[in-house]
Structures are given as structure tokens and as C-alpha cells.
Coordinates of all heavy atoms in Angstrom, one line a residue:
D293 N 0.8 -1.2 0.0 CA 0.0 0.0 0.0 C 0.9 1.2 0.0 O 1.9 1.3 0.7 CB -0.9 0.0 1.2 CG -1.9 -1.1 1.2 OD1 -2.3 -1.6 0.1 OD2 -2.4 -1.5 2.3
I294 N 0.5 2.2 -0.8 CA 1.3 3.5 -0.9 C 0.4 4.7 -0.7 O -0.7 4.7 -1.3 CB 2.0 3.6 -2.3 CG1 3.0 2.4 -2.5 CG2 2.7 4.9 -2.4 CD1 3.6 2.4 -3.8
G295 N 0.8 5.6 0.1 CA 0.0 6.8 0.3 C 0.8 7.8 1.2 O 1.4 7.4 2.1
D296 N 0.6 9.1 0.9 CA 1.2 10.2 1.7 C 2.7 10.0 2.0 O 3.2 10.2 3.1 CB 0.5 10.3 3.0 CG -0.9 10.9 2.9 OD1 -1.1 11.7 1.9 OD2 -1.8 10.6 3.7
G297 N 3.4 9.6 1.0 CA 4.9 9.4 1.1 C 5.3 8.2 1.9 O 6.4 8.0 2.3
R298 N 4.3 7.3 2.2 CA 4.6 6.1 2.9 C 4.2 4.8 2.1 O 3.3 4.9 1.3 CB 3.8 6.0 4.2 CG 4.1 7.1 5.2 CD 3.4 7.0 6.5 NE 4.0 6.1 7.4 CZ 5.0 6.6 8.2 NH1 5.4 7.8 8.2 NH2 5.6 5.7 9.1
A299 N 4.9 3.7 2.4 CA 4.6 2.5 1.8 C 4.6 1.4 2.9 O 5.4 1.4 3.8 CB 5.5 2.1 0.7
L300 N 3.6 0.5 2.8 CA 3.5 -0.6 3.7 C 4.1 -1.8 3.0 O 3.7 -2.2 1.9 CB 2.1 -0.9 4.1 CG 1.8 -2.1 5.0 CD1 2.5 -2.0 6.3 CD2 0.3 -2.4 5.2
I301 N 5.2 -2.4 3.6 CA 5.9 -3.5 3.0 C 5.4 -4.8 3.6 O 5.2 -5.0 4.8 CB 7.4 -3.4 3.3 CG1 7.9 -2.0 2.9 CG2 8.2 -4.5 2.7 CD1 7.9 -1.8 1.4
S302 N 5.1 -5.8 2.7 CA 4.7 -7.1 3.1 C 5.2 -8.1 2.2 O 5.4 -7.9 1.0 CB 3.1 -7.1 3.1 OG 2.7 -8.4 3.5
Y303 N 5.6 -9.3 2.7 CA 6.0 -10.4 1.8 C 5.8 -11.7 2.5 O 5.6 -11.8 3.7 CB 7.5 -10.2 1.5 CG 8.5 -10.7 2.6 CD1 9.2 -11.8 2.5 CD2 8.6 -9.9 3.7 CE1 10.0 -12.3 3.6 CE2 9.5 -10.3 4.7 CZ 10.2 -11.4 4.6 OH 11.0 -11.9 5.7
S304 N 5.8 -12.8 1.7 CA 5.6 -14.1 2.3 C 6.4 -15.1 1.4 O 6.5 -14.9 0.1 CB 4.2 -14.5 2.3 OG 4.0 -15.8 2.8
L305 N 7.0 -16.1 2.0 CA 7.8 -17.1 1.2 C 7.2 -18.4 1.4 O 6.8 -18.8 2.5 CB 9.3 -17.1 1.7 CG 10.1 -15.9 1.4 CD1 11.5 -16.1 2.1 CD2 10.3 -15.7 -0.1
D306 N 7.1 -19.2 0.3 CA 6.7 -20.6 0.4 C 7.6 -21.3 1.4 O 8.8 -21.0 1.4 CB 6.7 -21.2 -1.0 CG 6.2 -22.6 -1.0 OD1 7.0 -23.5 -0.8 OD2 5.0 -22.8 -1.2
E307 N 7.1 -22.3 2.1 CA 7.9 -23.0 3.0 C 9.2 -23.6 2.4 O 10.3 -23.6 3.0 CB 7.1 -24.2 3.6 CG 6.1 -23.7 4.6 CD 5.4 -24.9 5.3 OE1 5.9 -26.0 5.3 OE2 4.3 -24.6 5.8
R308 N 9.1 -24.0 1.1 CA 10.3 -24.6 0.5 C 11.4 -23.6 0.2 O 12.5 -23.9 -0.1 CB 9.9 -25.3 -0.8 CG 8.9 -26.5 -0.6 CD 8.3 -26.9 -1.9 NE 7.4 -25.9 -2.3 CZ 6.6 -26.0 -3.4 NH1 6.7 -27.0 -4.1 NH2 5.8 -25.0 -3.7
A309 N 11.0 -22.3 0.2 CA 12.0 -21.2 -0.1 C 12.6 -20.6 1.1 O 13.5 -19.7 1.0 CB 11.3 -20.1 -1.0
R310 N 12.1 -21.0 2.3 CA 12.6 -20.3 3.5 C 14.0 -20.8 3.9 O 14.4 -21.9 3.6 CB 11.6 -20.6 4.6 CG 10.3 -20.0 4.4 CD 9.2 -20.3 5.4 NE 7.9 -19.7 4.9 CZ 6.8 -20.0 5.4 NH1 6.7 -20.9 6.4 NH2 5.7 -19.5 5.0
G311 N 14.7 -20.0 4.6 CA 16.0 -20.4 5.1 C 17.1 -20.3 4.1 O 18.2 -20.8 4.3
K312 N 16.9 -19.6 3.0 CA 17.9 -19.5 1.9 C 18.3 -18.1 1.6 O 19.0 -17.8 0.7 CB 17.3 -20.1 0.6 CG 16.9 -21.6 0.8 CD 16.3 -22.1 -0.5 CE 16.0 -23.6 -0.2 NZ 15.3 -24.2 -1.4
G313 N 17.9 -17.1 2.5 CA 18.3 -15.7 2.3 C 17.5 -15.0 1.3 O 17.8 -13.9 0.9
L314 N 16.4 -15.6 0.8 CA 15.6 -15.0 -0.2 C 14.8 -13.8 0.3 O 14.5 -12.9 -0.5 CB 14.7 -16.0 -0.9 CG 15.4 -17.2 -1.6 CD1 14.4 -18.2 -2.1 CD2 16.2 -16.6 -2.8
G315 N 14.4 -13.8 1.5 CA 13.6 -12.7 2.1 C 14.3 -11.4 2.0 O 13.8 -10.4 1.6
K316 N 15.6 -11.4 2.4 CA 16.4 -10.2 2.3 C 16.5 -9.7 0.9 O 16.4 -8.5 0.6 CB 17.8 -10.5 3.0 CG 18.7 -9.3 2.9 CD 20.0 -9.7 3.6 CE 21.1 -8.9 2.9 NZ 22.4 -9.4 3.2
R317 N 16.8 -10.6 0.0 CA 16.9 -10.3 -1.4 C 15.6 -9.7 -2.0 O 15.6 -8.7 -2.7 CB 17.4 -11.5 -2.2 CG 17.7 -11.2 -3.6 CD 18.6 -12.2 -4.2 NE 18.8 -12.1 -5.7 CZ 19.5 -11.2 -6.3 NH1 20.2 -10.3 -5.5 NH2 19.6 -11.1 -7.6
I318 N 14.5 -10.4 -1.8 CA 13.2 -10.0 -2.3 C 12.9 -8.6 -1.7 O 12.5 -7.7 -2.5 CB 12.1 -11.0 -1.9 CG1 12.3 -12.3 -2.8 CG2 10.7 -10.4 -2.1 CD1 11.5 -13.4 -2.3
L319 N 13.0 -8.4 -0.4 CA 12.7 -7.1 0.2 C 13.7 -6.0 -0.4 O 13.2 -4.9 -0.7 CB 12.8 -7.2 1.7 CG 11.6 -7.8 2.4 CD1 11.9 -7.9 3.9 CD2 10.4 -7.0 2.1
G320 N 14.9 -6.3 -0.4 CA 15.9 -5.3 -0.9 C 15.6 -4.9 -2.3 O 15.6 -3.7 -2.6
L321 N 15.4 -5.9 -3.2 CA 15.1 -5.5 -4.6 C 13.8 -4.8 -4.7 O 13.6 -3.9 -5.5 CB 15.2 -6.8 -5.5 CG 16.6 -7.4 -5.6 CD1 16.5 -8.8 -6.3 CD2 17.5 -6.5 -6.4
G322 N 12.8 -5.3 -3.9 CA 11.5 -4.6 -4.0 C 11.6 -3.2 -3.5 O 11.0 -2.3 -4.1
I323 N 12.3 -2.9 -2.5 CA 12.5 -1.5 -2.0 C 13.3 -0.7 -3.0 O 12.9 0.5 -3.2 CB 13.1 -1.5 -0.6 CG1 12.2 -2.1 0.4 CG2 13.5 -0.1 -0.2 CD1 12.8 -2.5 1.8
R324 N 14.3 -1.3 -3.6 CA 15.0 -0.6 -4.7 C 14.1 -0.2 -5.8 O 14.1 0.9 -6.3 CB 16.1 -1.4 -5.2 CG 17.0 -0.7 -6.2 CD 18.1 -1.6 -6.7 NE 19.1 -1.9 -5.7 CZ 20.0 -2.8 -5.7 NH1 20.1 -3.6 -6.7 NH2 20.9 -3.0 -4.7
H325 N 13.2 -1.1 -6.2 CA 12.2 -0.9 -7.3 C 11.3 0.2 -6.9 O 11.0 1.2 -7.6 CB 11.5 -2.2 -7.6 CG 10.4 -2.0 -8.6 ND1 10.7 -2.0 -10.0 CD2 9.1 -1.8 -8.5 CE1 9.6 -1.9 -10.7 NE2 8.6 -1.7 -9.8
L326 N 10.8 0.1 -5.7 CA 9.8 1.1 -5.1 C 10.5 2.5 -5.2 O 9.8 3.5 -5.6 CB 9.5 0.8 -3.7 CG 8.5 1.7 -3.0 CD1 7.1 1.5 -3.4 CD2 8.6 1.5 -1.5
S327 N 11.7 2.6 -4.7 CA 12.4 3.9 -4.7 C 12.6 4.5 -6.1 O 12.5 5.7 -6.2 CB 13.8 3.8 -4.0 OG 13.6 3.4 -2.6
K328 N 12.8 3.7 -7.0 CA 13.1 4.1 -8.4 C 11.8 4.6 -9.0 O 11.7 5.6 -9.7 CB 13.7 3.0 -9.2 CG 14.0 3.4 -10.6 CD 14.6 2.2 -11.4 CE 14.9 2.6 -12.8 NZ 15.5 1.5 -13.6
H329 N 10.7 3.8 -8.8 CA 9.4 4.1 -9.5 C 8.4 5.0 -8.7 O 7.5 5.4 -9.3 CB 8.8 2.8 -10.0 CG 9.6 2.1 -11.0 ND1 9.7 2.4 -12.3 CD2 10.5 1.0 -10.8 CE1 10.5 1.6 -12.9 NE2 11.0 0.7 -12.1
Y330 N 8.7 5.1 -7.4 CA 7.8 5.9 -6.6 C 8.7 6.8 -5.7 O 8.8 6.6 -4.5 CB 6.9 5.0 -5.7 CG 6.0 4.2 -6.5 CD1 6.3 2.9 -6.9 CD2 4.7 4.6 -6.8 CE1 5.4 2.1 -7.7 CE2 3.8 3.9 -7.6 CZ 4.2 2.6 -8.0 OH 3.3 1.8 -8.7
P331 N 9.4 7.7 -6.3 CA 10.3 8.6 -5.6 C 9.7 9.4 -4.5 O 10.4 9.9 -3.6 CB 11.0 9.5 -6.6 CG 10.0 9.5 -7.8 CD 9.3 8.1 -7.7
Q332 N 8.4 9.6 -4.5 CA 7.7 10.3 -3.5 C 7.6 9.6 -2.2 O 7.3 10.2 -1.1 CB 6.3 10.7 -4.0 CG 5.3 9.6 -4.0 CD 5.3 8.8 -5.3 OE1 6.2 8.8 -6.1 NE2 4.2 8.1 -5.6
V333 N 7.9 8.3 -2.2 CA 7.8 7.5 -1.0 C 9.1 7.6 -0.3 O 10.2 7.3 -0.8 CB 7.5 6.0 -1.3 CG1 7.7 5.1 -0.1 CG2 6.1 5.8 -1.9
S334 N 9.1 8.0 1.0 CA 10.3 8.2 1.8 C 10.3 7.3 3.0 O 11.3 7.1 3.7 CB 10.5 9.7 2.1 OG 9.4 10.2 2.9
D335 N 9.1 6.9 3.4 CA 8.9 6.2 4.7 C 8.4 4.8 4.4 O 7.4 4.6 3.6 CB 8.0 6.9 5.6 CG 8.5 8.3 6.0 OD1 9.6 8.4 6.5 OD2 7.8 9.3 5.7
L336 N 8.9 3.8 5.1 CA 8.5 2.4 4.9 C 8.0 1.8 6.2 O 8.7 2.0 7.3 CB 9.7 1.5 4.4 CG 10.3 2.0 3.1 CD1 11.6 1.2 2.8 CD2 9.3 1.9 1.9
D337 N 6.9 1.2 6.2 CA 6.3 0.5 7.4 C 6.2 -1.0 7.1 O 6.0 -1.4 6.0 CB 5.0 1.1 7.7 CG 5.0 2.6 8.1 OD1 5.7 2.9 9.0 OD2 4.4 3.4 7.4
A338 N 6.3 -1.8 8.2 CA 6.1 -3.2 8.0 C 5.6 -3.7 9.4 O 5.8 -3.1 10.4 CB 7.4 -3.9 7.7
S339 N 4.9 -4.8 9.3 CA 4.4 -5.5 10.6 C 4.7 -7.0 10.4 O 4.5 -7.6 9.4 CB 2.9 -5.3 10.7 OG 2.6 -3.9 10.8
V340 N 5.2 -7.5 11.5 CA 5.6 -8.9 11.6 C 5.1 -9.6 12.9 O 5.1 -8.9 13.9 CB 7.1 -9.1 11.6 CG1 7.6 -10.5 11.6 CG2 7.7 -8.4 10.4
V341 N 4.5 -10.8 12.8 CA 4.1 -11.5 14.0 C 5.3 -11.7 14.8 O 6.4 -12.1 14.3 CB 3.3 -12.8 13.7 CG1 1.9 -12.4 13.1 CG2 4.1 -13.7 12.8
S342 N 5.2 -11.6 16.1 CA 6.3 -11.6 17.1 C 7.0 -12.9 17.1 O 8.2 -13.0 17.5 CB 5.8 -11.2 18.5 OG 4.9 -12.1 18.9
H343 N 6.5 -14.0 16.6 CA 7.2 -15.3 16.7 C 7.9 -15.6 15.3 O 8.5 -16.7 15.2 CB 6.2 -16.4 17.1 CG 5.1 -16.7 16.1 ND1 3.9 -16.0 16.2 CD2 5.0 -17.4 15.0 CE1 3.1 -16.4 15.2 NE2 3.8 -17.2 14.4
N344 N 7.8 -14.7 14.4 CA 8.4 -14.9 13.1 C 9.8 -14.3 13.1 O 10.1 -13.3 12.5 CB 7.6 -14.3 11.9 CG 8.1 -14.7 10.6 OD1 9.2 -15.1 10.4 ND2 7.3 -14.4 9.5
F345 N 10.7 -15.0 13.8 CA 12.1 -14.5 14.0 C 12.9 -14.3 12.8 O 13.6 -13.3 12.6 CB 12.8 -15.4 15.0 CG 12.1 -15.5 16.4 CD1 11.6 -16.7 16.8 CD2 12.1 -14.4 17.2 CE1 10.9 -16.8 18.0 CE2 11.4 -14.4 18.4 CZ 10.9 -15.6 18.8
P346 N 12.8 -15.2 11.8 CA 13.5 -14.9 10.5 C 13.1 -13.6 9.8 O 13.9 -12.9 9.3 CB 13.2 -16.2 9.6 CG 12.9 -17.2 10.6 CD 12.1 -16.5 11.7
S347 N 11.8 -13.3 9.8 CA 11.3 -12.1 9.2 C 11.8 -10.9 10.0 O 12.2 -9.9 9.4 CB 9.8 -12.1 9.0 OG 9.4 -11.0 8.2
I348 N 11.7 -11.0 11.3 CA 12.2 -9.9 12.2 C 13.6 -9.6 11.9 O 14.0 -8.5 11.7 CB 11.9 -10.3 13.6 CG1 10.4 -10.3 14.0 CG2 12.7 -9.3 14.6 CD1 10.1 -10.9 15.3
K349 N 14.4 -10.7 11.8 CA 15.9 -10.5 11.6 C 16.1 -9.9 10.2 O 17.0 -9.0 10.0 CB 16.5 -11.9 11.6 CG 18.0 -11.9 11.4 CD 18.6 -13.3 11.6 CE 20.1 -13.3 11.2 NZ 20.6 -14.7 11.3
T350 N 15.3 -10.3 9.2 CA 15.5 -9.8 7.8 C 15.2 -8.2 7.8 O 16.0 -7.5 7.3 CB 14.5 -10.5 6.9 OG1 14.9 -11.8 6.8 CG2 14.5 -9.9 5.5
F351 N 14.1 -7.8 8.4 CA 13.8 -6.4 8.5 C 14.9 -5.6 9.2 O 15.3 -4.6 8.8 CB 12.4 -6.1 9.1 CG 11.3 -6.3 8.1 CD1 10.5 -7.4 8.1 CD2 11.1 -5.4 7.1 CE1 9.4 -7.6 7.2 CE2 10.1 -5.5 6.2 CZ 9.2 -6.6 6.2
Q352 N 15.3 -6.1 10.3 CA 16.4 -5.5 11.1 C 17.7 -5.4 10.3 O 18.4 -4.4 10.3 CB 16.6 -6.1 12.4 CG 15.4 -5.9 13.4 CD 15.6 -6.7 14.7 OE1 16.1 -7.8 14.8 NE2 15.1 -6.1 15.8
H353 N 18.0 -6.5 9.6 CA 19.2 -6.5 8.8 C 19.2 -5.4 7.7 O 20.3 -4.9 7.4 CB 19.4 -7.9 8.2 CG 20.7 -8.0 7.4 ND1 21.9 -8.3 8.0 CD2 21.0 -7.9 6.1 CE1 22.9 -8.3 7.1 NE2 22.3 -8.1 5.9
L354 N 18.0 -5.1 7.2 CA 17.9 -4.1 6.1 C 17.9 -2.7 6.7 O 17.8 -1.7 5.9 CB 16.7 -4.4 5.3 CG 16.8 -5.6 4.4 CD1 15.4 -5.9 3.8 CD2 17.8 -5.4 3.3
G355 N 17.9 -2.6 8.0 CA 17.9 -1.2 8.6 C 16.6 -0.8 9.2 O 16.5 0.4 9.7
F356 N 15.6 -1.6 9.2 CA 14.3 -1.3 9.9 C 14.4 -1.3 11.4 O 15.1 -2.2 11.9 CB 13.2 -2.3 9.4 CG 12.6 -2.0 8.1 CD1 13.4 -2.4 6.9 CD2 11.4 -1.5 7.9 CE1 12.9 -2.2 5.7 CE2 10.8 -1.3 6.6 CZ 11.6 -1.6 5.5
A357 N 13.8 -0.4 12.1 CA 13.8 -0.4 13.5 C 12.4 -0.7 14.0 O 11.4 -0.2 13.5 CB 14.3 1.0 14.0
P358 N 12.3 -1.4 15.2 CA 11.0 -1.7 15.7 C 10.4 -0.4 16.3 O 11.1 0.5 16.8 CB 11.3 -2.7 16.9 CG 12.8 -2.6 17.1 CD 13.4 -2.1 15.9
V359 N 9.1 -0.3 16.2 CA 8.4 0.9 16.7 C 7.5 0.5 17.8 O 6.7 -0.5 17.7 CB 7.5 1.5 15.6 CG1 6.6 2.7 16.1 CG2 8.3 1.9 14.4
P360 N 7.7 1.1 19.0 CA 6.8 0.7 20.1 C 5.3 0.8 19.8 O 4.9 1.8 19.3 CB 7.2 1.7 21.2 CG 8.5 2.2 20.8 CD 8.6 2.2 19.3
A361 N 4.6 -0.3 20.0 CA 3.2 -0.3 19.6 C 2.3 0.1 20.8 O 1.2 0.5 20.6 CB 2.8 -1.7 19.1
G362 N 2.7 -0.1 22.0 CA 1.9 0.2 23.2 C 0.8 -0.8 23.4 O -0.1 -0.5 24.2
D363 N 0.9 -1.9 22.8 CA -0.2 -2.9 23.0 C 0.5 -4.3 23.0 O 1.7 -4.4 22.7 CB -1.3 -2.9 22.0 CG -0.8 -3.1 20.6 OD1 0.2 -3.7 20.4 OD2 -1.6 -2.7 19.7
D364 N -0.2 -5.3 23.3 CA 0.3 -6.7 23.3 C -0.4 -7.5 22.3 O -1.0 -8.5 22.6 CB 0.1 -7.3 24.7 CG 0.8 -8.6 24.9 OD1 1.8 -8.8 24.2 OD2 0.4 -9.4 25.7
S365 N -0.4 -7.0 21.0 CA -1.1 -7.6 19.9 C -0.4 -8.8 19.3 O -1.0 -9.5 18.5 CB -1.4 -6.6 18.8 OG -0.2 -6.2 18.3
G366 N 0.9 -9.0 19.7 CA 1.6 -10.1 19.1 C 2.2 -9.7 17.7 O 2.7 -10.5 17.0
I367 N 2.1 -8.4 17.4 CA 2.7 -7.9 16.2 C 3.8 -6.9 16.5 O 3.6 -6.0 17.4 CB 1.5 -7.1 15.4 CG1 0.4 -8.1 15.1 CG2 2.1 -6.5 14.1 CD1 0.7 -9.2 14.1
I368 N 4.9 -7.0 15.7 CA 5.9 -6.0 15.9 C 5.9 -5.1 14.6 O 5.9 -5.6 13.5 CB 7.3 -6.7 16.0 CG1 7.3 -7.6 17.2 CG2 8.4 -5.6 16.0 CD1 8.6 -8.4 17.3
H369 N 5.8 -3.8 14.9 CA 5.8 -2.8 13.8 C 7.2 -2.3 13.6 O 8.0 -2.1 14.5 CB 4.9 -1.7 14.1 CG 3.5 -2.1 14.4 ND1 2.6 -2.4 13.3 CD2 2.8 -2.4 15.5 CE1 1.5 -2.8 13.8 NE2 1.5 -2.8 15.1
F370 N 7.6 -2.1 12.3 CA 8.9 -1.6 11.9 C 8.8 -0.4 11.1 O 7.8 -0.2 10.4 CB 9.7 -2.7 11.1 CG 10.1 -3.9 12.0 CD1 9.4 -5.0 12.1 CD2 11.3 -3.8 12.7 CE1 9.8 -6.1 12.9 CE2 11.8 -4.9 13.4 CZ 11.0 -6.0 13.5
Y371 N 9.8 0.4 11.1 CA 9.9 1.7 10.3 C 11.3 1.8 9.8 O 12.3 1.5 10.4 CB 9.5 2.9 11.2 CG 9.8 4.2 10.5 CD1 9.0 4.7 9.5 CD2 11.0 4.9 10.8 CE1 9.2 5.9 8.9 CE2 11.3 6.1 10.1 CZ 10.4 6.6 9.2 OH 10.7 7.8 8.6
C372 N 11.4 2.4 8.6 CA 12.7 2.8 8.0 C 12.4 3.8 6.9 O 11.4 3.8 6.3 CB 13.3 1.5 7.3 SG 15.0 1.7 6.8
R373 N 13.4 4.7 6.7 CA 13.4 5.6 5.6 C 14.0 4.9 4.4 O 14.9 4.1 4.5 CB 14.1 6.9 5.9 CG 13.4 7.7 7.0 CD 13.9 9.1 7.2 NE 14.1 9.8 5.9 CZ 13.1 10.5 5.3 NH1 11.9 10.6 5.8 NH2 13.4 11.2 4.2
T374 N 13.5 5.2 3.2 CA 14.0 4.5 2.0 C 15.5 4.8 1.8 O 16.2 3.9 1.3 CB 13.2 5.0 0.7 OG1 13.3 6.4 0.6 CG2 11.8 4.5 0.7
D375 N 16.0 6.0 2.2 CA 17.4 6.3 2.0 C 18.3 5.6 3.1 O 19.5 5.8 3.1 CB 17.6 7.8 1.9 CG 17.1 8.5 3.1 OD1 16.7 7.9 4.1 OD2 17.2 9.8 3.1
S376 N 17.6 4.9 4.0 CA 18.4 4.3 5.1 C 18.5 2.7 4.9 O 19.1 2.1 5.7 CB 17.8 4.6 6.4 OG 17.8 6.0 6.7
V377 N 17.8 2.2 3.9 CA 17.8 0.8 3.7 C 19.2 0.3 3.4 O 19.8 0.9 2.5 CB 16.8 0.4 2.6 CG1 16.9 -1.1 2.3 CG2 15.4 0.7 3.1
D378 N 19.6 -0.7 4.1 CA 21.0 -1.3 3.9 C 20.9 -2.6 3.1 O 20.8 -3.7 3.6 CB 21.6 -1.5 5.2 CG 23.1 -2.0 5.1 OD1 23.7 -1.8 4.0 OD2 23.6 -2.6 6.1
F379 N 20.9 -2.4 1.7 CA 20.8 -3.6 0.9 C 21.9 -3.5 -0.2 O 22.0 -2.6 -0.9 CB 19.5 -3.7 0.2 CG 19.4 -4.9 -0.8 CD1 19.5 -6.2 -0.4 CD2 19.3 -4.6 -2.2 CE1 19.4 -7.2 -1.3 CE2 19.3 -5.6 -3.1 CZ 19.3 -6.9 -2.7
R380 N 22.8 -4.5 -0.2 CA 23.8 -4.7 -1.2 C 23.7 -6.1 -1.8 O 23.6 -7.0 -1.0 CB 25.2 -4.4 -0.6 CG 25.4 -3.0 -0.2 CD 26.7 -2.8 0.5 NE 26.5 -2.1 1.7 CZ 26.6 -2.7 2.9 NH1 27.0 -3.9 3.1 NH2 26.3 -1.9 4.0
E381 N 23.8 -6.2 -3.1 CA 23.7 -7.5 -3.7 C 25.1 -8.2 -3.6 O 26.1 -7.6 -3.7 CB 23.3 -7.4 -5.2 CG 21.8 -7.0 -5.3 CD 21.4 -7.0 -6.7 OE1 21.1 -8.1 -7.3 OE2 21.3 -5.9 -7.3

């Protein structure tokens, strides 16, 4: 979803594709594409269920920081600026 200079990032991998580093690559390339084709987007948001440790690690590795939610919903919210994403092929 894109609006007001923000984009909500979401992804899912088939079970057979997990554990191969594809999440980082997919997100990195997707964010690069987003930045190129939607230059008005400067802020990125993401939400991950709290027990999905590989996805949490992927977002953190790319430079996303957790945002305090103030509730116990079992969801971790992340934020990053597009110019702060740390993705190198």
C-alpha cells in the first residue's frame, strides 16, 4: 500500500523457499524498485508477527527499527526511511 509518502511492505515465502536468504533479497530488490518508480515514498512501514524470528531478523538487517506499539497484539511494527535501507547484492 502506498500513500502520503509512505509504503507498507509485506512479503511471504513458500515453506520450500525459507532459510535460503531469499527474504532479504526480495525485500531489498523490492524496496530498490519502489524507490526508483515511486520517488515520493520516503517512509517504509512493516508489521511482523512476534514469533516470526527470521522475518524480524530480515527487516532489522535491512535497517528497519522496531516501533513501540503500546499494546500486546503479538505484532511488531517496523519503520525505515527509503534512503536508510541497507541492501547490497
Side-chain angles (χ1 to χ4, degrees):
D293 294 334
I294 297 174
D296 289 333
R298 298 184 84 86
L300 177 62
I301 305 294
S302 179
Y303 77 106
S304 181
L305 293 176
D306 184 271
E307 287 183 22
R308 296 168 291 185
R310 295 176 186 164
K312 299 177 181 177
L314 295 174
K316 180 180 146 191
R317 183 160 171 77
I318 288 168
L319 282 174
L321 290 172
I323 292 167
R324 183 180 291 165
H325 177 85
L326 178 79
S327 295
K328 181 178 179 180
H329 296 282
Y330 297 90
Q332 72 275 20
V333 173
S334 59
D335 300 303
L336 303 172
D337 298 301
S339 299
V340 180
V341 292
S342 60
H343 63 270
N344 188 345
F345 301 113
S347 189
I348 292 167
K349 183 179 173 184
T350 297
F351 278 106
Q352 289 176 326
H353 183 82
L354 289 170
F356 282 74
V359 177
D363 61 19
D364 190 26
S365 63
I367 302 291
I368 299 174
H369 301 280
F370 288 93
Y371 168 80
C372 190
R373 293 195 43 89
T374 54
D375 58 3
S376 298
V377 172
D378 184 18
F379 175 68
R380 291 176 231 112
E381 289 186 77

